[in-house]
Amino acid sequence: MQNHPHLTYLDIVSKGKELNSFLLSFFPNSKKIYVKGNYPGLKVPFREIKVSKNEREGSTLPSFFYAYDTSGSYTDPSEGVEIGKGLFPLRAEWIKQRADTEFYEGRFKGNGQIAAKQKEPAFKNGYLDPSSRMPLRAKKGKGVSQMYYAKRGIITPEMEFVAIRENLGRKDFSLRQGQGPLYRQHTGQAWGTSIPEEITPEFVRKEVAAGRAIIPSNINHPELEPMIIGRNFRVKINANIGNSAISSSMSEEVAKLLWAILWGADTVMDLSTGKNIPQIRELIIRSSPVPIGTVPIYEALEKVGGVPEELSWEIYRDTLIEQAEQGVDYFTIHAGVLLRYIPYTINRLCGIVSRGGSIMAKWCLAHHQENFLYTHFDEICEILKTYDVSVSLGDGLRPGAIADANDKAQLSELFTLGELTKKAWDHDVQVMIEGPGHIPMQLIKENMDLELKHCFEAPFYTLGPLTTDIAPGYDHITSAIGAAMIGWFGCSMLCYVTPKEHLGLPNLDDVKTGVIAYKIAAHAADLAKGFPGAQLHDNFLSDARFQFRWEDQFNLSLDPLTARQFHDENLPQPAAKNAHFCSMCGPKFCSMKITEEVLSYAKKNNLTPEDALEEGMKEKAEEFKKIKNIYI
Amino acid sequence: MQNHPHLTYLDIVSKGKELNSFLLSFFPNSKKIYVKGNYPGLKVPFREIKVSKNEREGSTLPSFFYAYDTSGSYTDPSEGVEIGKGLFPLRAEWIKQRADTEFYEGRFKGNGQIAAKQKEPAFKNGYLDPSSRMPLRAKKGKGVSQMYYAKRGIITPEMEFVAIRENLGRKDFSLRQGQGPLYRQHTGQAWGTSIPEEITPEFVRKEVAAGRAIIPSNINHPELEPMIIGRNFRVKINANIGNSAISSSMSEEVAKLLWAILWGADTVMDLSTGKNIPQIRELIIRSSPVPIGTVPIYEALEKVGGVPEELSWEIYRDTLIEQAEQGVDYFTIHAGVLLRYIPYTINRLCGIVSRGGSIMAKWCLAHHQENFLYTHFDEICEILKTYDVSVSLGDGLRPGAIADANDKAQLSELFTLGELTKKAWDHDVQVMIEGPGHIPMQLIKENMDLELKHCFEAPFYTLGPLTTDIAPGYDHITSAIGAAMIGWFGCSMLCYVTPKEHLGLPNLDDVKTGVIAYKIAAHAADLAKGFPGAQLHDNFLSDARFQFRWEDQFNLSLDPLTARQFHDENLPQPAAKNAHFCSMCGPKFCSMKITEEVLSYAKKNNLTPEDALEEGMKEKAEEFKKIKNIYI
């Protein structure tokens, strides 16, 4: 949506030392704050939104709201961030303290041409030199994955970090429950799981140990601010970036990364398939406070000139190791596309629409052999566990059209992903399961339920799903519907879909529109699950709206400048920011203004809700008792 | 979304005789066609989208797709439409044939200053003179509502018209079921109702007689192309237009009307609250092929200078009659806002957010009297039945924030709306029930179920609902999620929400974005309910996508020019329209291209889906049997 002055990549890339203030300017009255943890030096970032004095009487309401913040140091003016410089490696000390890793000469033998020489990234002409850094790996016999620690009862700083992060607003919320409408929250429907009132580091540990949640955090990505993906936590969203052979350059991709995390992407996948894949990835990882995912088969395919038949396990294995050494936090691996499932796709309307899935299908058929990702899965896990790379088991046979939803090809693969989940867990490798795609609404829950059952509650990570195929150009909307629903039903992370889906590579506007559509879906899902404290954001915003605190309403919204711009199209005068009406209804027809008068009358006459019962409502009282209490 | 050259009101208003071709130009390869009915002269419009030859082998596939068409003669180049001229009164003859109505000297005693003098609209300086037309009313003792006829077993031309309209694509679909993937449709979940394979005029009659569906069709709106609202029919959408005291002019509102129906609005509400309400309305009704709804209390309030306390039954009654004489097809009437419910809103986060609701609440409190819309409801029905104006029972106490959803104020009013439904039906007045508003996902179904139960299955008509409050500027998305869900659960019509909701009056871009978001929601709901033939549209589009028929993919989409523009941003060359890839993945990584090769291999080797079973899938076969068959 071009609802802000159209931004170009250069607008971000060229900011230099002004980058922080430029990015923060999209969130007026916001500032970065940190909440300290118990682990020495551990501090968890939030975005504090200052609001003006609340006019609701008799309340002692806070004048700020804490928002979950995925934007890293880029919105902290006290940090000197600059594109190309890389971020401060906040986890480096945590990893070092565990004393179970070692630096070594990386292999980087692919076409990446990156040679690791030293422990810290070096700079060339003032900018990060991707060929300088030496990778870390687990010492022989040591486990370094969060799941490894979790199973052994160890609470890592990463776990404490995500516990504090997830608890956002809850303590305040819990303390004030029942103190007026601002602290109400509806009872959720969490479909058989139960989300605790407070998320403790121990709860995080238990969930990771059980495989119900993952903390993607490669030991070679120390710049990461840890986050958690699991259905007992906030629903997360992923943004895909990456160039293709047709379009996009290196700095464009970093600009997209910053833009995506500014608006709220929890993880970012670099799906580059064009030139310079390793160089782009190095820059992205060193610049990213969020986990970075990749689909290694893309780079492997580039290495063999784009001919799937030429792929081999050895080429793929090298690619995995090189990417793990760079610091990729999770890999999508299409190990469930089995030779015997491919014929199921013949009578589909849209065949195989996963790029990785179609590559592996072609390889399988050409060689008359089983998928090498499946046959070498144990070796893959050996690599992943050495760096704590999480595996995202790809849905290579996901439906690419409503007509193909929940068919045999899709579900056969899902069962195999369950089998692979168990294998990965045996190696203490963290696992999530990828899901579709295109599903009509009535079949969405079946997807979620089958995943939970057959993949043993490993976190589900879906692309949308799109609920109809008829609106190319608007697939962020067709899919936000499905994403909100599957998030409610238990999906842990929603992969965004931009307006460009099916049509072309997203630009900055598309990235922003996609991220915001998915922040909406994820938050709607949190509300529906009854995630404690989630409704506080809605309540704060609606409270500002009802009290005509226009500036607060804008500032509390997901996209303050757009909200303000829409308001100002008709009423640009500064005085209108205090007006008790807007251009939608005008002053005489403003229901909120009239309600103010109604409430003032009620107050003057000491009218209470109980009065309603006395004036003839008694016969309805019995009916109300049958309706379940809707307030906590 | 400003994804097309930014259009102004003048772009539409100034087209003159070029209006048809201008509007049709938004749908390349489309033309208006008509399907004839049995009633003499009855013809039902569709938009035929021509597609190129389908490359799927062995099929005899049609080279066209019929789309439901709400745009009236404005997209028929053989009709000479022009803004200000009014439309051809296609129903005039049908109404005349029934011989139960009479022309009379209208009252128009309000501030509208419209005097009706003759039976046909007259022209002044070549344009429609709103002061010229003489209204129709039922002859004494005669019933003229569609419900009146339906209950007496009479099938009207209106009923036949909507039956043909609703059957769109079904016959073709039914005939070809099982003939390959293009004619598959998933089994729907219709929540206890059953939608027949074919919609006959008799089925329409039964549904209208039972009150489960309405055909809003004032006898003074002969220009109307009839449509039906009920949960056994396609889910419909409404677009709100109308000026406010702050913004917008008369021609702007007609431009918004045309723009809304071009993109697919099934009905349009004129919510004008500023100057010249009757003049704007007259122009809108004479120009509208879709039912027009209003909230008469707005005009009544203007008559008393905007002071709710000054309202009276008499002023309101006169307004109702004047608007009925003009041809308004349905009125929103907030008769369920009872004095005793008002105290329930005191402890809400957002009080009363319905304009009509807040006006009536203020009146009730100021006079210490029961709502005059409630106490005079029988007299209201007497007026409505005289013209066949449907009543949309307003939800004046709907929640305006997530925090207030499903509360006592809202549900108390709902029960009263049920009581009023019965009353209206006693007068053969067609009824629908308005619903919220702001509801978190887990409470949406409860809304629908309570409505069906307490309002006896009268059609539900909801505003969204928004599933979160945190995204002003994107409320078309927050609400499309809720709208799709409640449409699936049984809601018959979805009132759109534009990106400007809560912020200002929508402009043309906002109207289009709102309509398309809601077309998506309504269609997703049709798919989920299993409306026969609904999936054909998805299948046609996905088929074109899979075969790289780019032009067809664009033309079959809800917004062809935007889809094309998005594609062309990176690949503008004409040759790219035949390319077997796009800029998203580039040629080497195009899954669909690789799948083509996979399928070609499978064909060469006579691989069938059964082969999958033989190669080790037998152990999975039992599991598959447990999954319900997903194809019809």
Side-chain angles (χ1 to χ4, degrees):
Chain A
M1 206 176 297
Q2 299 176 12
N3 41 31
H4 50 78
H6 187 72
L7 209 69
T8 68
Y9 300 107
L10 210 61
D11 288 328
I12 295 176
V13 172
S14 65
K15 286 295 166 191
K17 292 182 196 307
E18 306 299 312
L19 185 60
N20 268 320
S21 54
F22 173 70
L23 293 175
L24 198 56
S25 73
F26 289 91
F27 296 99
N29 268 23
S30 277
K31 68 172 183 192
K32 178 83 80 182
I33 62 105
Y34 296 91
V35 173
K36 284 186 183 168
N38 288 325
Y39 190 90
L42 188 151
K43 55 177 195 171
V44 180
F46 293 97
R47 180 161 60 84
E48 181 185 291
I49 307 168
K50 201 171 148 32
V51 296
S52 51
K53 196 178 152 14
N54 192 321
E55 293 164 22
R56 203 173 279 275
E57 280 183 272
S59 62
T60 52
L61 297 170
S63 58
F64 58 86
F65 178 79
Y66 280 7
Y68 192 103
D69 187 354
T70 54
S71 62
S73 316
Y74 297 104
T75 51
D76 183 349
S78 71
E79 299 267 344
V81 295
E82 208 177 324
I83 284 184
K85 293 273 193 189
L87 292 174
F88 174 75
L90 71 147
R91 289 174 63 229
E93 192 57 31
W94 309 350
I95 295 165
K96 191 177 165 192
Q97 289 291 327
R98 290 196 277 259
D100 49 12
T101 54
E102 59 187 12
F103 285 102
Y104 72 110
E105 189 80 13
R107 25 198 309 158
F108 296 126
K109 293 201 182 86
N111 66 355
Q113 308 304 333
I114 297 174
K117 304 290 180 210
Q118 58 192 61
K119 295 181 183 181
E120 300 300 324
F123 292 87
K124 198 183 274 178
N125 304 327
Y127 282 90
L128 187 72
D129 175 10
S131 67
S132 68
R133 202 184 43 83
M134 198 173 228
L136 269 183
R137 67 181 170 202
K139 284 182 186 163
K140 210 167 166 65
K142 296 282 184 186
V144 298
S145 79
Q146 295 293 318
M147 188 180 218
Y148 174 88
Y149 303 129
K151 283 183 180 173
R152 281 148 192 85
I154 299 164
I155 293 175
T156 62
E158 284 86 349
M159 296 173 197
E160 192 192 1
F161 192 100
V162 300
I164 294 170
R165 208 169 189 186
E166 292 284 321
N167 266 329
L168 155 73
R170 273 202 223 198
K171 206 169 169 184
D172 191 51
F173 170 76
S174 302
L175 281 175
R176 290 167 179 273
Q177 258 184 62
Q179 292 188 6
L182 201 60
Y183 292 96
R184 278 182 207 147
Q185 179 160 333
H186 295 287
T187 302
Q189 157 61 290
W191 305 104
T193 189
S194 66
I195 304 165
E197 270 298 298
E198 197 194 341
I199 292 198
T200 60
E202 170 59 14
F203 179 75
V204 171
R205 187 199 62 75
K206 271 190 196 159
E207 292 289 296
V208 172
R212 274 194 302 272
I214 68 172
I215 302 175
S217 45
N218 187 327
I219 51 173
N220 286 307
H221 187 193
E223 302 88 349
L224 179 79
E225 294 177 349
M227 52 78 71
I228 193 162
I229 302 167
R231 81 186 154 122
N232 289 321
F233 302 92
R234 289 172 193 275
V235 175
K236 303 303 187 299
I237 67 168
N238 172 69
N240 290 336
I241 62 172
N243 64 346
S244 79
I246 300 298
S247 184
S248 187
S249 73
M250 206 181 303
S251 59
E252 281 183 27
E253 295 312 316
V254 176
K256 273 187 201 164
L257 165 73
L258 299 197
W259 198 230
I261 63 175
L262 180 71
W263 296 109
D266 293 289
T267 78
V268 166
M269 288 194 81
D270 171 19
L271 302 185
S272 292
T273 57
K275 300 281 168 219
N276 306 319
I277 293 181
Q279 288 77 7
I280 291 178
R281 192 170 49 234
E282 181 71 18
L283 190 58
I284 287 175
I285 294 170
R286 300 285 78 80
S287 306
S288 176
V290 305
I292 297 297
T294 64
V295 187
I297 201 81
Y298 296 171
E299 188 184 355
L301 188 64
E302 287 290 346
K303 290 183 183 177
V304 296
V307 184
E309 300 88 315
E310 303 283 310
L311 282 167
S312 69
W313 159 241
E314 290 71 23
I315 288 166
Y316 185 80
R317 180 197 57 205
D318 289 352
T319 309
L320 277 191
I321 294 171
E322 290 154 22
Q323 295 201 10
E325 288 174 342
Q326 276 189 296
V328 173
D329 299 289
Y330 64 90
F331 290 148
T332 292
I333 299 182
H334 297 94
V337 179
L338 300 192
L339 179 60
R340 63 180 183 269
Y341 300 156
I342 300 169
Y344 287 149
T345 66
I346 293 174
N347 286 340
R348 275 183 160 184
L349 188 61
C350 281
I352 301 173
V353 298
S354 150
R355 297 195 288 198
S358 63
I359 292 164
M360 292 319 300
K362 195 163 181 208
W363 187 91
C364 290
L365 286 183
H367 292 270
H368 289 277
Q369 281 178 25
E370 192 50 281
N371 183 339
F372 62 75
L373 303 174
Y374 180 80
T375 55
H376 290 273
F377 195 68
D378 275 314
E379 290 156 88
I380 290 174
C381 290
E382 291 290 341
I383 296 168
L384 303 183
K385 71 198 287 187
T386 306
Y387 307 91
D388 196 10
V389 181
S390 301
V391 62
S392 184
L393 289 169
D395 53 338
L397 302 179
R398 68 168 180 266
I402 288 291
D404 298 335
N406 294 27
D407 72 352
K408 286 191 185 183
Q410 180 197 336
L411 298 182
S412 302
E413 183 185 31
L414 182 68
F415 302 144
T416 298
L417 300 188
E419 174 198 329
L420 296 169
T421 298
K422 287 277 193 195
K423 266 198 186 183
W425 284 348
D426 287 344
H427 292 274
D428 300 329
V429 168
Q430 304 188 85
V431 180
M432 59 183 170
I433 308 291
E434 294 188 10
H438 295 240
I439 322 178
M441 283 192 286
Q442 83 275 24
L443 299 183
I444 291 176
K445 189 148 191 312
E446 182 184 54
N447 263 274
M448 189 66 231
D449 293 345
L450 287 173
E451 191 276 340
L452 288 174
K453 184 179 167 198
H454 293 282
C455 298
F456 318 101
E457 302 191 67
F460 204 23
Y461 166 32
T462 58
L463 178 66
L466 283 74
T467 54
T468 167
D469 303 339
I470 67 171
Y474 299 83
D475 279 331
H476 59 304
I477 299 178
T478 64
S479 68
I481 295 167
M485 290 174 71
I486 205 160
W488 172 26
F489 298 150
C491 185
S492 302
M493 187 156 77
L494 310 170
C495 182
Y496 85 172
V497 172
T498 78
K500 286 277 172 61
E501 185 73 19
H502 300 116
L503 299 168
L505 208 61
N507 62 24
L508 285 184
D509 281 337
D510 300 317
V511 167
K512 179 185 170 191
T513 303
V515 168
I516 288 179
Y518 274 68
K519 287 301 277 185
I520 288 168
H523 183 72
D526 284 341
L527 287 179
K529 286 161 72 176
F531 192 89
Q535 200 181 305
L536 205 57
H537 195 172
D538 300 76
N539 294 355
F540 260 72
L541 193 141
S542 287
D543 194 47
R545 178 176 287 155
F546 189 63
Q547 292 172 32
F548 300 100
R549 291 185 277 119
W550 288 99
E551 300 278 0
D552 289 346
Q553 188 188 158
F554 304 151
N555 295 341
L556 285 161
S557 73
L558 291 185
D559 182 3
L561 298 195
T562 296
R564 168 188 291 264
Q565 180 191 312
F566 281 3
H567 174 271
D568 288 1
E569 272 180 31
N570 288 313
L571 290 173
Q573 309 85 341
K577 299 296 187 307
N578 299 310
H580 282 206
F581 61 88
C582 75
S583 67
M584 200 164 180
C585 307
K588 280 188 298 193
F589 283 87
C590 178
S591 60
M592 295 212 185
K593 184 166 180 287
I594 298 174
T595 298
E596 274 187 335
E597 295 160 8
V598 167
L599 294 185
S600 142
Y601 173 93
K603 201 191 142 214
K604 210 172 63 191
N605 293 276
N606 292 317
L607 218 56
T608 68
E610 287 66 38
D611 291 337
L613 270 177
E614 287 170 25
E615 290 198 56
M617 269 304 288
K618 277 174 191 138
E619 78 285 2
K620 289 282 178 201
E622 284 310 302
E623 284 190 68
F624 279 121
K625 284 183 194 156
K626 290 177 207 150
I627 301 166
K628 67 167 189 272
N629 185 10
I630 49 168
Y631 299 131
I632 291 174
Chain B
M1 208 177 297
Q2 299 176 14
N3 41 31
H4 50 76
H6 188 73
L7 209 69
T8 67
Y9 301 107
L10 210 60
D11 288 326
I12 294 177
V13 172
S14 64
K15 288 293 166 191
K17 291 181 197 309
E18 305 299 314
L19 185 59
N20 268 320
S21 54
F22 173 70
L23 292 175
L24 198 55
S25 73
F26 289 92
F27 296 100
N29 269 23
S30 277
K31 69 174 183 189
K32 178 83 82 183
I33 63 106
Y34 296 92
V35 172
K36 283 186 182 169
N38 289 323
Y39 190 91
L42 187 148
K43 54 175 195 170
V44 181
F46 293 97
R47 180 162 60 86
E48 181 186 291
I49 308 167
K50 200 171 148 32
V51 297
S52 51
K53 193 175 154 12
N54 192 321
E55 293 162 23
R56 203 173 279 273
E57 280 183 273
S59 61
T60 53
L61 297 169
S63 58
F64 59 85
F65 177 80
Y66 279 7
Y68 193 103
D69 188 353
T70 54
S71 62
S73 317
Y74 296 105
T75 50
D76 183 348
S78 71
E79 298 267 344
V81 295
E82 210 178 321
I83 284 183
K85 292 274 193 191
L87 293 173
F88 174 75
L90 71 148
R91 288 173 65 228
E93 193 56 33
W94 309 349
I95 295 164
K96 192 176 164 190
Q97 289 292 328
R98 291 197 276 259
D100 49 12
T101 54
E102 60 187 12
F103 285 101
Y104 72 110
E105 188 79 16
R107 26 198 307 159
F108 296 126
K109 293 202 182 86
N111 66 355
Q113 309 301 337
I114 298 173
K117 304 290 181 206
Q118 57 193 59
K119 294 181 184 182
E120 299 301 325
F123 292 86
K124 198 183 274 177
N125 304 327
Y127 283 89
L128 186 74
D129 175 9
S131 67
S132 68
R133 202 185 43 86
M134 197 174 229
L136 271 181
R137 68 180 168 202
K139 284 182 184 162
K140 213 170 163 62
K142 297 283 185 189
V144 298
S145 79
Q146 295 292 319
M147 188 180 218
Y148 174 90
Y149 304 130
K151 282 182 180 173
R152 280 148 192 86
I154 299 164
I155 293 175
T156 62
E158 284 86 349
M159 295 172 199
E160 192 191 2
F161 192 100
V162 301
I164 294 170
R165 207 168 191 187
E166 292 283 323
N167 268 327
L168 156 72
R170 274 204 225 200
K171 206 170 170 182
D172 190 51
F173 170 76
S174 302
L175 281 176
R176 290 168 179 272
Q177 258 184 60
Q179 293 187 6
L182 202 59
Y183 291 95
R184 280 183 205 145
Q185 179 161 333
H186 295 286
T187 303
Q189 157 62 289
W191 304 104
T193 188
S194 64
I195 304 165
E197 268 299 297
E198 196 193 341
I199 292 199
T200 61
E202 170 58 14
F203 179 76
V204 171
R205 187 199 63 72
K206 272 191 195 158
E207 291 290 296
V208 172
R212 274 194 301 271
I214 68 171
I215 302 175
S217 46
N218 187 326
I219 52 175
N220 287 306
H221 187 193
E223 301 88 348
L224 179 79
E225 294 177 348
M227 52 77 72
I228 193 161
I229 302 166
R231 81 184 154 123
N232 289 322
F233 303 92
R234 286 171 195 275
V235 174
K236 303 302 187 297
I237 68 167
N238 172 70
N240 291 335
I241 61 171
N243 65 346
S244 78
I246 299 298
S247 183
S248 185
S249 75
M250 207 179 299
S251 59
E252 280 183 28
E253 295 312 316
V254 176
K256 274 187 203 167
L257 166 72
L258 299 196
W259 198 231
I261 63 176
L262 181 71
W263 296 109
D266 293 290
T267 78
V268 166
M269 289 194 79
D270 171 20
L271 303 185
S272 292
T273 57
K275 300 281 167 217
N276 307 318
I277 293 180
Q279 288 77 4
I280 290 178
R281 190 169 51 234
E282 182 71 18
L283 190 57
I284 286 175
I285 294 170
R286 299 286 77 79
S287 306
S288 177
V290 305
I292 297 296
T294 63
V295 187
I297 200 81
Y298 296 171
E299 187 183 356
L301 188 64
E302 287 290 346
K303 289 182 183 177
V304 296
V307 185
E309 299 88 315
E310 303 282 310
L311 282 166
S312 69
W313 159 244
E314 290 72 22
I315 287 166
Y316 185 81
R317 181 197 58 206
D318 289 352
T319 308
L320 277 191
I321 295 171
E322 290 154 22
Q323 296 201 10
E325 288 174 340
Q326 277 189 296
V328 174
D329 299 289
Y330 63 91
F331 290 149
T332 292
I333 300 183
H334 298 93
V337 178
L338 301 192
L339 179 59
R340 61 180 183 271
Y341 300 156
I342 300 169
Y344 286 149
T345 66
I346 293 174
N347 286 340
R348 275 183 158 183
L349 188 61
C350 281
I352 301 173
V353 297
S354 149
R355 298 194 289 200
S358 63
I359 293 164
M360 291 320 300
K362 194 163 183 207
W363 186 92
C364 289
L365 286 183
H367 292 269
H368 288 278
Q369 280 177 25
E370 193 48 282
N371 182 340
F372 62 76
L373 302 173
Y374 179 80
T375 56
H376 290 272
F377 195 70
D378 275 314
E379 289 155 271
I380 289 173
C381 291
E382 291 290 342
I383 296 167
L384 302 182
K385 71 199 284 188
T386 306
Y387 307 91
D388 195 10
V389 181
S390 301
V391 62
S392 185
L393 289 167
D395 52 340
L397 302 180
R398 69 169 178 266
I402 289 291
D404 298 337
N406 294 27
D407 73 351
K408 286 191 184 182
Q410 180 197 334
L411 299 181
S412 303
E413 182 184 30
L414 182 69
F415 302 143
T416 298
L417 299 188
E419 174 198 329
L420 297 169
T421 299
K422 287 276 193 197
K423 266 198 185 181
W425 285 348
D426 287 343
H427 291 275
D428 301 327
V429 168
Q430 305 188 87
V431 180
M432 59 182 168
I433 308 292
E434 294 187 10
H438 295 240
I439 321 178
M441 284 192 284
Q442 82 275 25
L443 300 182
I444 291 177
K445 188 145 193 310
E446 182 183 54
N447 263 274
M448 190 66 230
D449 293 345
L450 288 173
E451 191 275 342
L452 288 174
K453 181 179 169 199
H454 293 283
C455 298
F456 317 102
E457 302 191 63
F460 204 23
Y461 167 31
T462 58
L463 177 66
L466 285 73
T467 53
T468 167
D469 303 341
I470 66 170
Y474 298 82
D475 279 332
H476 59 305
I477 300 177
T478 64
S479 68
I481 295 167
M485 290 175 70
I486 205 160
W488 172 25
F489 299 149
C491 185
S492 303
M493 188 156 75
L494 310 170
C495 182
Y496 85 171
V497 171
T498 79
K500 285 279 171 60
E501 186 74 17
H502 300 117
L503 299 169
L505 209 60
N507 62 24
L508 285 185
D509 281 335
D510 300 318
V511 166
K512 179 185 169 191
T513 303
V515 168
I516 288 180
Y518 273 67
K519 287 301 277 184
I520 289 168
H523 183 72
D526 284 341
L527 287 180
K529 286 160 72 175
F531 192 89
Q535 200 181 305
L536 205 56
H537 195 171
D538 300 75
N539 294 354
F540 260 72
L541 193 141
S542 286
D543 195 46
R545 178 176 287 157
F546 189 63
Q547 293 171 30
F548 300 99
R549 291 185 277 117
W550 288 100
E551 301 279 359
D552 288 347
Q553 187 187 158
F554 304 151
N555 294 341
L556 285 161
S557 74
L558 291 184
D559 182 3
L561 298 195
T562 296
R564 168 187 290 266
Q565 182 192 312
F566 281 3
H567 173 270
D568 288 1
E569 272 181 30
N570 287 314
L571 291 172
Q573 309 85 338
K577 299 296 187 306
N578 299 312
H580 281 206
F581 61 88
C582 75
S583 67
M584 200 164 179
C585 308
K588 280 188 298 194
F589 283 87
C590 179
S591 60
M592 295 211 186
K593 184 166 180 288
I594 298 174
T595 298
E596 273 186 336
E597 296 159 8
V598 167
L599 294 185
S600 143
Y601 172 93
K603 201 191 141 213
K604 209 173 64 191
N605 293 277
N606 292 317
L607 216 58
T608 68
E610 287 67 38
D611 292 334
L613 270 178
E614 288 170 25
E615 289 200 53
M617 268 304 286
K618 276 173 190 141
E619 79 285 2
K620 289 281 177 200
E622 284 311 303
E623 282 190 72
F624 280 121
K625 282 184 193 156
K626 289 176 207 151
I627 301 166
K628 66 169 190 275
N629 185 9
I630 49 167
Y631 300 134
I632 290 174

